[in-house]
């Protein structure tokens, strides 16, 4: 990867720009419009939003204001937990498209799996939702489909009924929280891994190990975290609403972490974990941030 527009490939053969601009916790309205527009002005061509972030309208507005053609931008949004099931999934996608003011998505993700401790029928609920995703994919409403925060057991269950396996699994991934078994499972099943909070929500940026490596390259801790994901073939989605950081987070193509540095980062103790994971999702998950 040498530039923002270089792509990872998904199992359906489509490319996805190698760094996405994340919008989790970006307030709707002026902040979201200005920061997404700033990202597009700085060369990002991949924007990641979600119905659950409540900022899809602003993302759509920023895309239109940017003057960059829709087809030159890769847009991901996610299906919220209240909309599970076949019919509701189709309607939820339509609503996201309406909010975005777009007529197709590049990638649509199930934001959180239904999990065993929330109901014995968790497999059926996920399977039914996924059937909706497959329909949207076949109808061309969404060019690629995937999941977020799914663990291997939930992917194994999905496999029993899926015609198409997810193209992507978006998970928390950063130095200090790397979920290696899950990443290996996804790689073995040709599922592209995306990293939400690749900077550990900013909490990894003060870590001495990360900073020592950054210093050795004359780079910042944020650069090291973004590079770390890329060198693991994991697609990072750094978030910032600060124009200088939005721009600076793209300066990651002029250095490489050594194999030893990667190993050091791989073996860091748990640092910056958000506390969010599939089995911890509350029942209604309405107030559940990510
Ligand atoms: P802000 O949005 O105020 O600029 P993550 O992508 O892991 O979720 O991390 C996002 C957090 O990291 C946000 O709080 C963001 O702050 C902060 N952040 C993003 N880029 C940088 C950077 N280059 N340097 C310092 N903090 C950053």
């Amino acid at each position: 990867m040498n530039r923002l527009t270089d792509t990872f490939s998904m199992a359906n053969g489509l490319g996805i720009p190698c760094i996405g601009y994340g919008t989790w916790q970006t307030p709707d309205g002026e902040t979201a419009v200005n920061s997404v527009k700033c990202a597009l002005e700085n060369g990002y061509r991949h924007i990641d939003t979600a119905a659950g972030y409540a900022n899809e309208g602003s993302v759509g507005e920023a895309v239109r204001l940017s003057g960059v053609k829709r087809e030159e931008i890769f847009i991901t949004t996610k299906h919220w937990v209240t909309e599970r099931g076949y019919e509701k999934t189709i309607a939820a996608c339509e609503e996201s498209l309406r909010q975005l003011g777009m007529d197709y998505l590049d990638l649509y993700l199930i934001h959180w799996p239904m999990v065993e401790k929330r109901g014995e029928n968790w497999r059926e609920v996920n399977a039914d939702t996924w059937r909706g995703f497959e329909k949207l994919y076949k109808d061309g409403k969404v060019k690629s489909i995937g999941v977020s925060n799914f663990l291997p057991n939930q992917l194994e269950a999905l496999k029993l009924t899926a015609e198409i396996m997810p193209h992507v699994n978006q998970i928390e991934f950063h130095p200090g929280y790397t979920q290696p078994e899950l990443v290996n499972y996804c790689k073995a099943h040709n599922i592209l891994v995306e990293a939400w909070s690749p900077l550990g929500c900013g909490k990894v940026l003060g870590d001495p190990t990360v900073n020592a490596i950054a210093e050795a390259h004359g780079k910042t801790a944020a650069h090291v975290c973004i590079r770390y994901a890329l060198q693991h073939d994991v697609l990072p989605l750094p978030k910032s609403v600060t124009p200088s950081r939005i721009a600076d987070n793209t300066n990651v193509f002029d250095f490489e972490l050594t194999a030893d540095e990667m190993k050091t980062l791989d073996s860091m103790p748990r640092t910056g974990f958000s506390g969010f994971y599939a089995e911890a999702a509350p029942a209604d998950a309405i107030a559940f941030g990510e």
Side-chain angles (χ1 to χ4, degrees):
M1 302 292 164
N2 295 308
R3 57 188 72 81
L4 284 175
T5 48
D6 284 351
T7 54
F8 285 107
S9 288
M10 292 176 282
N12 59 356
L14 295 181
I16 175 167
C18 65
I19 296 180
Y21 175 70
T23 65
W24 175 37
Q25 296 180 324
T26 298
D28 196 28
E30 208 180 333
T31 305
V33 172
N34 289 342
S35 57
V36 172
K37 203 163 142 273
C38 176
L40 292 167
E41 284 160 5
N42 279 285
Y44 292 81
R45 288 296 177 268
H46 173 178
I47 311 291
D48 183 273
T49 182
Y53 302 168
N55 58 19
E56 290 169 311
S58 298
V59 169
E61 192 181 336
V63 167
R64 286 185 293 282
L65 288 172
S66 73
V68 182
K69 290 195 191 105
R70 164 69 185 93
E71 58 273 23
E72 287 173 14
I73 308 173
F74 190 103
I75 301 283
T76 302
T77 195
K78 310 183 194 81
H79 158 282
W80 192 234
V81 296
T82 48
E83 310 306 313
R84 291 180 175 132
Y86 179 82
E87 301 292 347
K88 280 173 98 177
T89 292
I90 307 284
C93 183
E94 288 297 342
E95 176 57 15
S96 281
L97 287 169
R98 196 185 68 76
Q99 290 281 340
L100 285 158
M102 295 175 184
D103 54 12
Y104 70 94
L105 296 172
D106 293 284
L107 178 62
Y108 196 37
L109 305 178
I110 299 184
H111 205 144
W112 287 97
M114 170 72 171
V115 296
E116 189 169 6
K117 80 170 189 198
R118 297 294 173 211
E120 275 176 24
N121 64 343
W122 64 278
R123 285 187 194 81
E124 289 74 23
V125 172
N126 288 334
D128 242 26
T129 305
W130 189 246
R131 216 159 42 80
F133 272 64
E134 290 175 330
K135 166 78 172 151
L136 292 162
Y137 181 66
K138 287 179 198 161
D139 287 351
K141 286 276 177 204
V142 306
K143 294 191 175 183
S144 299
I145 48 177
V147 296
S148 186
N149 303 304
F150 271 53
L151 299 173
N153 70 311
Q154 290 135 7
L155 288 162
E156 278 295 301
L158 206 61
K159 205 159 91 176
L160 300 174
T161 51
E163 275 180 54
I164 304 158
M165 276 303 275
H167 301 127
V168 163
N169 189 11
Q170 185 180 124
I171 63 170
E172 180 171 0
F173 178 93
H174 51 78
Y177 192 72
T178 57
Q179 308 196 66
E181 281 167 26
L182 175 55
V183 171
N184 289 338
Y185 176 97
C186 290
K187 287 186 177 175
H189 290 79
N190 207 7
I191 298 169
L192 177 71
V193 179
E194 293 185 338
W196 63 259
S197 287
L199 316 175
C201 281
K203 286 178 280 185
V204 174
L205 301 179
D207 180 84
T209 303
V210 175
N211 278 282
I213 293 173
E215 238 169 73
H217 290 276
K219 303 296 288 185
T220 67
H223 295 145
V224 168
C225 290
I226 295 168
R227 216 36 244 186
Y228 176 71
L230 287 173
Q231 288 186 219
H232 266 302
D233 293 323
V234 169
L235 191 156
L237 302 164
K239 172 267 177 187
S240 173
V241 295
T242 311
S244 57
R245 292 172 175 172
I246 294 171
D248 192 46
N249 287 347
T250 69
N251 295 324
V252 295
F253 300 108
D254 59 354
F255 79 112
E256 196 168 346
L257 299 169
T258 65
D260 278 351
E261 288 167 339
M262 290 294 284
K263 256 194 226 149
T264 302
L265 294 168
D266 286 341
S267 51
M268 269 172 54
R270 183 171 282 197
T271 309
F273 173 47
S274 68
F276 294 134
Y277 63 103
E279 297 290 335
D284 63 3
I286 294 285
F288 197 47
E290 168 49 26

PDB file of all heavy atoms in Angstrom, residues 182-213:
ATOM      1  N   LEU A 182      -9.428 -14.399  16.259  1.00  0.00           N
ATOM      2  CA  LEU A 182     -10.492 -13.916  15.373  1.00  0.00           C
ATOM      3  C   LEU A 182      -9.907 -13.459  14.031  1.00  0.00           C
ATOM      4  O   LEU A 182     -10.440 -13.785  12.961  1.00  0.00           O
ATOM      5  CB  LEU A 182     -11.245 -12.764  16.064  1.00  0.00           C
ATOM      6  CG  LEU A 182     -12.312 -12.044  15.258  1.00  0.00           C
ATOM      7  CD1 LEU A 182     -13.349 -13.010  14.708  1.00  0.00           C
ATOM      8  CD2 LEU A 182     -12.998 -10.976  16.120  1.00  0.00           C
ATOM      9  N   VAL A 183      -8.812 -12.724  14.101  1.00  0.00           N
ATOM     10  CA  VAL A 183      -8.178 -12.250  12.857  1.00  0.00           C
ATOM     11  C   VAL A 183      -7.740 -13.451  12.010  1.00  0.00           C
ATOM     12  O   VAL A 183      -7.987 -13.491  10.796  1.00  0.00           O
ATOM     13  CB  VAL A 183      -6.985 -11.310  13.169  1.00  0.00           C
ATOM     14  CG1 VAL A 183      -6.190 -10.996  11.911  1.00  0.00           C
ATOM     15  CG2 VAL A 183      -7.488 -10.018  13.823  1.00  0.00           C
ATOM     16  N   ASN A 184      -7.144 -14.447  12.650  1.00  0.00           N
ATOM     17  CA  ASN A 184      -6.706 -15.633  11.899  1.00  0.00           C
ATOM     18  C   ASN A 184      -7.882 -16.378  11.292  1.00  0.00           C
ATOM     19  O   ASN A 184      -7.813 -16.856  10.161  1.00  0.00           O
ATOM     20  CB  ASN A 184      -5.890 -16.575  12.797  1.00  0.00           C
ATOM     21  CG  ASN A 184      -4.533 -15.962  13.106  1.00  0.00           C
ATOM     22  OD1 ASN A 184      -4.052 -15.097  12.378  1.00  0.00           O
ATOM     23  ND2 ASN A 184      -3.925 -16.398  14.199  1.00  0.00           N
ATOM     24  N   TYR A 185      -8.975 -16.473  12.044  1.00  0.00           N
ATOM     25  CA  TYR A 185     -10.183 -17.129  11.515  1.00  0.00           C
ATOM     26  C   TYR A 185     -10.644 -16.401  10.251  1.00  0.00           C
ATOM     27  O   TYR A 185     -10.936 -17.019   9.224  1.00  0.00           O
ATOM     28  CB  TYR A 185     -11.304 -17.131  12.573  1.00  0.00           C
ATOM     29  CG  TYR A 185     -12.599 -17.710  12.037  1.00  0.00           C
ATOM     30  CD1 TYR A 185     -12.937 -19.041  12.262  1.00  0.00           C
ATOM     31  CD2 TYR A 185     -13.474 -16.937  11.264  1.00  0.00           C
ATOM     32  CE1 TYR A 185     -14.105 -19.582  11.743  1.00  0.00           C
ATOM     33  CE2 TYR A 185     -14.635 -17.469  10.727  1.00  0.00           C
ATOM     34  CZ  TYR A 185     -14.942 -18.789  10.977  1.00  0.00           C
ATOM     35  OH  TYR A 185     -16.098 -19.318  10.430  1.00  0.00           O
ATOM     36  N   CYS A 186     -10.726 -15.076  10.340  1.00  0.00           N
ATOM     37  CA  CYS A 186     -11.212 -14.284   9.195  1.00  0.00           C
ATOM     38  C   CYS A 186     -10.286 -14.467   7.990  1.00  0.00           C
ATOM     39  O   CYS A 186     -10.763 -14.682   6.866  1.00  0.00           O
ATOM     40  CB  CYS A 186     -11.317 -12.807   9.577  1.00  0.00           C
ATOM     41  SG  CYS A 186     -12.653 -12.494  10.739  1.00  0.00           S
ATOM     42  N   LYS A 187      -8.998 -14.400   8.234  1.00  0.00           N
ATOM     43  CA  LYS A 187      -8.050 -14.546   7.111  1.00  0.00           C
ATOM     44  C   LYS A 187      -8.208 -15.919   6.472  1.00  0.00           C
ATOM     45  O   LYS A 187      -8.195 -16.044   5.248  1.00  0.00           O
ATOM     46  CB  LYS A 187      -6.620 -14.311   7.588  1.00  0.00           C
ATOM     47  CG  LYS A 187      -6.365 -12.830   7.861  1.00  0.00           C
ATOM     48  CD  LYS A 187      -4.930 -12.532   8.208  1.00  0.00           C
ATOM     49  CE  LYS A 187      -4.762 -11.019   8.400  1.00  0.00           C
ATOM     50  NZ  LYS A 187      -3.428 -10.642   8.841  1.00  0.00           N
ATOM     51  N   ALA A 188      -8.363 -16.954   7.287  1.00  0.00           N
ATOM     52  CA  ALA A 188      -8.510 -18.320   6.761  1.00  0.00           C
ATOM     53  C   ALA A 188      -9.796 -18.464   5.946  1.00  0.00           C
ATOM     54  O   ALA A 188      -9.893 -19.328   5.078  1.00  0.00           O
ATOM     55  CB  ALA A 188      -8.493 -19.317   7.908  1.00  0.00           C
ATOM     56  N   HIS A 189     -10.794 -17.626   6.232  1.00  0.00           N
ATOM     57  CA  HIS A 189     -12.076 -17.698   5.511  1.00  0.00           C
ATOM     58  C   HIS A 189     -12.234 -16.575   4.491  1.00  0.00           C
ATOM     59  O   HIS A 189     -13.344 -16.325   4.019  1.00  0.00           O
ATOM     60  CB  HIS A 189     -13.239 -17.692   6.519  1.00  0.00           C
ATOM     61  CG  HIS A 189     -13.337 -18.959   7.304  1.00  0.00           C
ATOM     62  ND1 HIS A 189     -12.523 -19.222   8.387  1.00  0.00           N
ATOM     63  CD2 HIS A 189     -14.098 -20.061   7.139  1.00  0.00           C
ATOM     64  CE1 HIS A 189     -12.804 -20.428   8.867  1.00  0.00           C
ATOM     65  NE2 HIS A 189     -13.748 -20.957   8.122  1.00  0.00           N
ATOM     66  N   ASN A 190     -11.124 -15.935   4.157  1.00  0.00           N
ATOM     67  CA  ASN A 190     -11.141 -14.884   3.133  1.00  0.00           C
ATOM     68  C   ASN A 190     -12.100 -13.744   3.469  1.00  0.00           C
ATOM     69  O   ASN A 190     -12.795 -13.220   2.601  1.00  0.00           O
ATOM     70  CB  ASN A 190     -11.487 -15.510   1.764  1.00  0.00           C
ATOM     71  CG  ASN A 190     -10.897 -14.695   0.624  1.00  0.00           C
ATOM     72  OD1 ASN A 190     -10.133 -13.745   0.857  1.00  0.00           O
ATOM     73  ND2 ASN A 190     -11.264 -15.031  -0.602  1.00  0.00           N
ATOM     74  N   ILE A 191     -12.156 -13.403   4.751  1.00  0.00           N
ATOM     75  CA  ILE A 191     -12.970 -12.271   5.222  1.00  0.00           C
ATOM     76  C   ILE A 191     -11.995 -11.148   5.565  1.00  0.00           C
ATOM     77  O   ILE A 191     -11.120 -11.328   6.419  1.00  0.00           O
ATOM     78  CB  ILE A 191     -13.793 -12.668   6.474  1.00  0.00           C
ATOM     79  CG1 ILE A 191     -14.770 -13.809   6.145  1.00  0.00           C
ATOM     80  CG2 ILE A 191     -14.521 -11.467   7.054  1.00  0.00           C
ATOM     81  CD1 ILE A 191     -15.432 -14.439   7.381  1.00  0.00           C
ATOM     82  N   LEU A 192     -12.126 -10.019   4.895  1.00  0.00           N
ATOM     83  CA  LEU A 192     -11.231  -8.893   5.165  1.00  0.00           C
ATOM     84  C   LEU A 192     -11.523  -8.332   6.559  1.00  0.00           C
ATOM     85  O   LEU A 192     -12.692  -8.081   6.888  1.00  0.00           O
ATOM     86  CB  LEU A 192     -11.418  -7.803   4.106  1.00  0.00           C
ATOM     87  CG  LEU A 192     -10.589  -6.534   4.318  1.00  0.00           C
ATOM     88  CD1 LEU A 192      -9.113  -6.786   4.054  1.00  0.00           C
ATOM     89  CD2 LEU A 192     -11.100  -5.388   3.438  1.00  0.00           C
ATOM     90  N   VAL A 193     -10.481  -8.108   7.334  1.00  0.00           N
ATOM     91  CA  VAL A 193     -10.661  -7.529   8.675  1.00  0.00           C
ATOM     92  C   VAL A 193     -10.458  -6.023   8.604  1.00  0.00           C
ATOM     93  O   VAL A 193      -9.469  -5.546   8.039  1.00  0.00           O
ATOM     94  CB  VAL A 193      -9.668  -8.146   9.690  1.00  0.00           C
ATOM     95  CG1 VAL A 193      -9.847  -7.527  11.072  1.00  0.00           C
ATOM     96  CG2 VAL A 193      -9.842  -9.662   9.761  1.00  0.00           C
ATOM     97  N   GLU A 194     -11.427  -5.297   9.164  1.00  0.00           N
ATOM     98  CA  GLU A 194     -11.279  -3.843   9.318  1.00  0.00           C
ATOM     99  C   GLU A 194     -11.116  -3.543  10.803  1.00  0.00           C
ATOM    100  O   GLU A 194     -11.727  -4.214  11.644  1.00  0.00           O
ATOM    101  CB  GLU A 194     -12.531  -3.115   8.821  1.00  0.00           C
ATOM    102  CG  GLU A 194     -12.755  -3.225   7.339  1.00  0.00           C
ATOM    103  CD  GLU A 194     -13.949  -2.383   6.875  1.00  0.00           C
ATOM    104  OE1 GLU A 194     -14.832  -2.059   7.711  1.00  0.00           O
ATOM    105  OE2 GLU A 194     -14.001  -2.058   5.696  1.00  0.00           O
ATOM    106  N   ALA A 195     -10.316  -2.499  11.098  1.00  0.00           N
ATOM    107  CA  ALA A 195     -10.052  -2.130  12.488  1.00  0.00           C
ATOM    108  C   ALA A 195     -10.846  -0.904  12.880  1.00  0.00           C
ATOM    109  O   ALA A 195     -10.589   0.188  12.359  1.00  0.00           O
ATOM    110  CB  ALA A 195      -8.566  -1.835  12.670  1.00  0.00           C
ATOM    111  N   TRP A 196     -11.838  -1.075  13.782  1.00  0.00           N
ATOM    112  CA  TRP A 196     -12.411   0.142  14.384  1.00  0.00           C
ATOM    113  C   TRP A 196     -11.546   0.539  15.579  1.00  0.00           C
ATOM    114  O   TRP A 196     -10.898  -0.313  16.187  1.00  0.00           O
ATOM    115  CB  TRP A 196     -13.891   0.016  14.689  1.00  0.00           C
ATOM    116  CG  TRP A 196     -14.439  -0.986  15.667  1.00  0.00           C
ATOM    117  CD1 TRP A 196     -15.029  -2.178  15.350  1.00  0.00           C
ATOM    118  CD2 TRP A 196     -14.535  -0.874  17.110  1.00  0.00           C
ATOM    119  NE1 TRP A 196     -15.461  -2.812  16.484  1.00  0.00           N
ATOM    120  CE2 TRP A 196     -15.182  -2.032  17.588  1.00  0.00           C
ATOM    121  CE3 TRP A 196     -14.134   0.096  18.031  1.00  0.00           C
ATOM    122  CZ2 TRP A 196     -15.435  -2.255  18.944  1.00  0.00           C
ATOM    123  CZ3 TRP A 196     -14.383  -0.120  19.383  1.00  0.00           C
ATOM    124  CH2 TRP A 196     -15.026  -1.290  19.822  1.00  0.00           C
ATOM    125  N   SER A 197     -11.492   1.845  15.812  1.00  0.00           N
ATOM    126  CA  SER A 197     -10.594   2.384  16.846  1.00  0.00           C
ATOM    127  C   SER A 197      -9.159   1.867  16.709  1.00  0.00           C
ATOM    128  O   SER A 197      -8.609   1.281  17.652  1.00  0.00           O
ATOM    129  CB  SER A 197     -11.144   2.111  18.247  1.00  0.00           C
ATOM    130  OG  SER A 197     -12.244   2.947  18.488  1.00  0.00           O
ATOM    131  N   PRO A 198      -8.529   2.077  15.555  1.00  0.00           N
ATOM    132  CA  PRO A 198      -7.145   1.610  15.384  1.00  0.00           C
ATOM    133  C   PRO A 198      -6.161   2.341  16.281  1.00  0.00           C
ATOM    134  O   PRO A 198      -5.031   1.888  16.447  1.00  0.00           O
ATOM    135  CB  PRO A 198      -6.860   1.906  13.899  1.00  0.00           C
ATOM    136  CG  PRO A 198      -7.792   3.025  13.548  1.00  0.00           C
ATOM    137  CD  PRO A 198      -9.041   2.775  14.364  1.00  0.00           C
ATOM    138  N   LEU A 199      -6.604   3.469  16.874  1.00  0.00           N
ATOM    139  CA  LEU A 199      -5.751   4.214  17.807  1.00  0.00           C
ATOM    140  C   LEU A 199      -6.170   3.923  19.249  1.00  0.00           C
ATOM    141  O   LEU A 199      -5.769   4.627  20.180  1.00  0.00           O
ATOM    142  CB  LEU A 199      -5.854   5.726  17.542  1.00  0.00           C
ATOM    143  CG  LEU A 199      -5.819   6.178  16.070  1.00  0.00           C
ATOM    144  CD1 LEU A 199      -6.047   7.689  15.968  1.00  0.00           C
ATOM    145  CD2 LEU A 199      -4.493   5.793  15.422  1.00  0.00           C
ATOM    146  N   GLY A 200      -7.007   2.882  19.403  1.00  0.00           N
ATOM    147  CA  GLY A 200      -7.515   2.566  20.751  1.00  0.00           C
ATOM    148  C   GLY A 200      -8.281   3.743  21.330  1.00  0.00           C
ATOM    149  O   GLY A 200      -8.131   4.058  22.507  1.00  0.00           O
ATOM    150  N   CYS A 201      -9.100   4.380  20.485  1.00  0.00           N
ATOM    151  CA  CYS A 201      -9.855   5.581  20.901  1.00  0.00           C
ATOM    152  C   CYS A 201      -8.908   6.668  21.411  1.00  0.00           C
ATOM    153  O   CYS A 201      -9.279   7.468  22.266  1.00  0.00           O
ATOM    154  CB  CYS A 201     -10.872   5.262  21.994  1.00  0.00           C
ATOM    155  SG  CYS A 201     -12.351   4.498  21.375  1.00  0.00           S
ATOM    156  N   GLY A 202      -7.688   6.658  20.945  1.00  0.00           N
ATOM    157  CA  GLY A 202      -6.698   7.642  21.384  1.00  0.00           C
ATOM    158  C   GLY A 202      -5.934   7.186  22.627  1.00  0.00           C
ATOM    159  O   GLY A 202      -4.899   7.755  22.979  1.00  0.00           O
ATOM    160  N   LYS A 203      -6.426   6.108  23.268  1.00  0.00           N
ATOM    161  CA  LYS A 203      -5.838   5.706  24.553  1.00  0.00           C
ATOM    162  C   LYS A 203      -4.487   5.001  24.403  1.00  0.00           C
ATOM    163  O   LYS A 203      -3.736   4.871  25.363  1.00  0.00           O
ATOM    164  CB  LYS A 203      -6.807   4.785  25.320  1.00  0.00           C
ATOM    165  CG  LYS A 203      -7.992   5.555  25.910  1.00  0.00           C
ATOM    166  CD  LYS A 203      -8.957   4.635  26.619  1.00  0.00           C
ATOM    167  CE  LYS A 203      -9.869   3.934  25.626  1.00  0.00           C
ATOM    168  NZ  LYS A 203     -10.912   3.111  26.182  1.00  0.00           N
ATOM    169  N   VAL A 204      -4.179   4.550  23.168  1.00  0.00           N
ATOM    170  CA  VAL A 204      -2.901   3.860  22.944  1.00  0.00           C
ATOM    171  C   VAL A 204      -1.791   4.880  22.645  1.00  0.00           C
ATOM    172  O   VAL A 204      -0.610   4.561  22.682  1.00  0.00           O
ATOM    173  CB  VAL A 204      -3.061   2.853  21.770  1.00  0.00           C
ATOM    174  CG1 VAL A 204      -1.754   2.211  21.386  1.00  0.00           C
ATOM    175  CG2 VAL A 204      -4.076   1.773  22.139  1.00  0.00           C
ATOM    176  N   LEU A 205      -2.212   6.121  22.360  1.00  0.00           N
ATOM    177  CA  LEU A 205      -1.241   7.087  21.828  1.00  0.00           C
ATOM    178  C   LEU A 205      -0.222   7.573  22.868  1.00  0.00           C
ATOM    179  O   LEU A 205       0.807   8.121  22.506  1.00  0.00           O
ATOM    180  CB  LEU A 205      -1.984   8.278  21.189  1.00  0.00           C
ATOM    181  CG  LEU A 205      -2.927   7.860  20.048  1.00  0.00           C
ATOM    182  CD1 LEU A 205      -3.659   9.075  19.474  1.00  0.00           C
ATOM    183  CD2 LEU A 205      -2.165   7.132  18.948  1.00  0.00           C
ATOM    184  N   GLY A 206      -0.513   7.330  24.156  1.00  0.00           N
ATOM    185  CA  GLY A 206       0.455   7.707  25.188  1.00  0.00           C
ATOM    186  C   GLY A 206       1.312   6.531  25.628  1.00  0.00           C
ATOM    187  O   GLY A 206       2.140   6.675  26.525  1.00  0.00           O
ATOM    188  N   ASP A 207       1.116   5.386  25.015  1.00  0.00           N
ATOM    189  CA  ASP A 207       1.834   4.182  25.466  1.00  0.00           C
ATOM    190  C   ASP A 207       3.330   4.293  25.162  1.00  0.00           C
ATOM    191  O   ASP A 207       3.729   4.609  24.040  1.00  0.00           O
ATOM    192  CB  ASP A 207       1.250   2.958  24.741  1.00  0.00           C
ATOM    193  CG  ASP A 207       1.963   1.702  25.181  1.00  0.00           C
ATOM    194  OD1 ASP A 207       1.573   1.151  26.222  1.00  0.00           O
ATOM    195  OD2 ASP A 207       2.932   1.296  24.498  1.00  0.00           O
ATOM    196  N   PRO A 208       4.198   4.007  26.159  1.00  0.00           N
ATOM    197  CA  PRO A 208       5.648   4.174  25.950  1.00  0.00           C
ATOM    198  C   PRO A 208       6.223   3.264  24.860  1.00  0.00           C
ATOM    199  O   PRO A 208       7.116   3.684  24.119  1.00  0.00           O
ATOM    200  CB  PRO A 208       6.260   3.838  27.315  1.00  0.00           C
ATOM    201  CG  PRO A 208       5.154   3.435  28.212  1.00  0.00           C
ATOM    202  CD  PRO A 208       3.844   3.673  27.547  1.00  0.00           C
ATOM    203  N   THR A 209       5.724   2.035  24.748  1.00  0.00           N
ATOM    204  CA  THR A 209       6.245   1.115  23.724  1.00  0.00           C
ATOM    205  C   THR A 209       5.942   1.665  22.326  1.00  0.00           C
ATOM    206  O   THR A 209       6.814   1.710  21.444  1.00  0.00           O
ATOM    207  CB  THR A 209       5.582  -0.278  23.878  1.00  0.00           C
ATOM    208  OG1 THR A 209       5.822  -0.734  25.204  1.00  0.00           O
ATOM    209  CG2 THR A 209       6.116  -1.270  22.875  1.00  0.00           C
ATOM    210  N   VAL A 210       4.717   2.100  22.135  1.00  0.00           N
ATOM    211  CA  VAL A 210       4.313   2.640  20.830  1.00  0.00           C
ATOM    212  C   VAL A 210       5.127   3.900  20.528  1.00  0.00           C
ATOM    213  O   VAL A 210       5.611   4.090  19.402  1.00  0.00           O
ATOM    214  CB  VAL A 210       2.792   2.954  20.816  1.00  0.00           C
ATOM    215  CG1 VAL A 210       2.380   3.625  19.504  1.00  0.00           C
ATOM    216  CG2 VAL A 210       1.980   1.680  21.044  1.00  0.00           C
ATOM    217  N   ASN A 211       5.326   4.722  21.553  1.00  0.00           N
ATOM    218  CA  ASN A 211       6.053   5.976  21.333  1.00  0.00           C
ATOM    219  C   ASN A 211       7.540   5.766  21.063  1.00  0.00           C
ATOM    220  O   ASN A 211       8.133   6.506  20.269  1.00  0.00           O
ATOM    221  CB  ASN A 211       5.823   6.939  22.504  1.00  0.00           C
ATOM    222  CG  ASN A 211       4.503   7.663  22.347  1.00  0.00           C
ATOM    223  OD1 ASN A 211       4.401   8.615  21.566  1.00  0.00           O
ATOM    224  ND2 ASN A 211       3.465   7.193  23.017  1.00  0.00           N
ATOM    225  N   ALA A 212       8.125   4.743  21.692  1.00  0.00           N
ATOM    226  CA  ALA A 212       9.546   4.465  21.424  1.00  0.00           C
ATOM    227  C   ALA A 212       9.715   4.058  19.958  1.00  0.00           C
ATOM    228  O   ALA A 212      10.663   4.491  19.280  1.00  0.00           O
ATOM    229  CB  ALA A 212      10.044   3.360  22.358  1.00  0.00           C
ATOM    230  N   ILE A 213       8.800   3.257  19.463  1.00  0.00           N
ATOM    231  CA  ILE A 213       8.867   2.832  18.054  1.00  0.00           C
ATOM    232  C   ILE A 213       8.634   4.036  17.135  1.00  0.00           C
ATOM    233  O   ILE A 213       9.319   4.209  16.121  1.00  0.00           O
ATOM    234  CB  ILE A 213       7.853   1.686  17.793  1.00  0.00           C
ATOM    235  CG1 ILE A 213       8.299   0.435  18.564  1.00  0.00           C
ATOM    236  CG2 ILE A 213       7.686   1.403  16.309  1.00  0.00           C
ATOM    237  CD1 ILE A 213       7.317  -0.723  18.555  1.00  0.00           C
TER     238      ILE A 213
END
